[in-house]
Amino acid sequence: KTSKMVLESTFVCVDNSDFMRNGDFVPTRMQAQQDAVNLVCMSKTRSNPENNVGLLKMSAVEVLVTLTADVGRILARLHQVQPRGNISFLTAVRVAHLALKHRQGRNHKMRIVVFVGSPIEEDESEVVKTAKKLKKEKVNVDIINFGEEGLNTDKLTTFVNTING
């Protein structure tokens, strides 16, 4: 049985808020996140050489690396990111979606991987609205919720359930 290789363009949204300074993950949340992003990028590009990955920061939302197969470029930019301010979860997801819409490979599936290590301020109704739009556009979303689970789990579960619903 052969597994079919999926062509995929993935945008990774990293949390670069002040919460990432916390030492509850060793050595910090920021470093733990960097290790996880490294794993995600490596596995995406290894599973298919044509897959590409982009990087976006969620505090003062900005695309750091446009879609590329060069994981080294992503990791180099990731290590320059400093914790500052608060995240804009929905803005980041919308910008990632926009960047994916402009992907080179039209036959690539769209995926957004979001790392959330600080409280999400957005209203639940806005979260649901964005999730419905992503579902309609056939965007897959993975969320890694760490550090502030108590505050975020309900909102993020609603978000994921709406997309998968």
Side-chain angles (χ1 to χ4, degrees):
K1 180 184 162 206
T2 58
S3 64
K4 189 179 171 299
M5 291 205 302
V6 176
L7 284 170
E8 200 169 53
S9 291
T10 306
F11 241 90
V12 179
C13 302
V14 293
D15 190 328
N16 62 315
S17 68
D18 287 320
F19 281 82
M20 299 307 282
R21 299 177 196 276
N22 291 359
D24 52 351
F25 288 79
V26 180
T28 61
R29 288 184 187 184
M30 197 71 166
Q31 187 61 53
Q33 176 179 249
Q34 283 176 348
D35 295 345
V37 169
N38 183 2
L39 282 172
V40 168
C41 293
M42 288 299 195
S43 80
K44 292 292 176 199
T45 52
R46 276 205 192 112
S47 68
N48 189 328
E50 287 181 44
N51 282 356
N52 46 32
V53 183
L55 183 69
L56 176 145
K57 66 185 178 83
M58 294 200 294
S59 171
V61 175
E62 183 191 349
V63 172
L64 300 172
V65 183
T66 53
L67 291 167
T68 178
D70 182 357
V71 176
R73 251 182 71 206
I74 289 186
L75 299 179
R77 277 304 270 130
L78 181 63
H79 285 286
Q80 294 167 358
V81 174
Q82 294 300 315
R84 181 177 297 121
N86 296 312
I87 63 166
S88 305
F89 173 73
L90 290 180
T91 304
V93 168
R94 287 184 193 121
V95 170
H97 177 222
L98 202 60
L100 285 169
K101 274 180 145 172
H102 296 288
R103 67 199 183 284
Q104 235 69 57
R106 303 309 292 156
N107 53 345
H108 283 215
K109 294 211 182 309
M110 294 182 282
R111 180 174 297 277
I112 301 172
V113 178
V114 191
F115 286 85
V116 182
S118 58
I120 293 173
E121 304 296 336
E122 283 92 346
D123 186 58
E124 189 151 338
S125 63
E126 286 297 306
V127 169
V128 168
K129 206 162 83 181
T130 301
K132 282 181 175 166
K133 184 176 181 196
L134 292 170
K135 179 185 177 172
K136 198 173 137 239
E137 302 261 346
K138 296 185 171 64
V139 182
N140 294 312
V141 181
D142 299 314
I143 296 180
I144 297 87
N145 180 21
F146 65 104
E148 303 297 324
E149 298 92 337
L151 295 166
N152 291 337
T153 300
D154 289 351
K155 254 182 219 173
L156 291 175
T157 302
T158 303
F159 184 78
V160 171
N161 288 344
T162 304
I163 289 176
N164 296 336

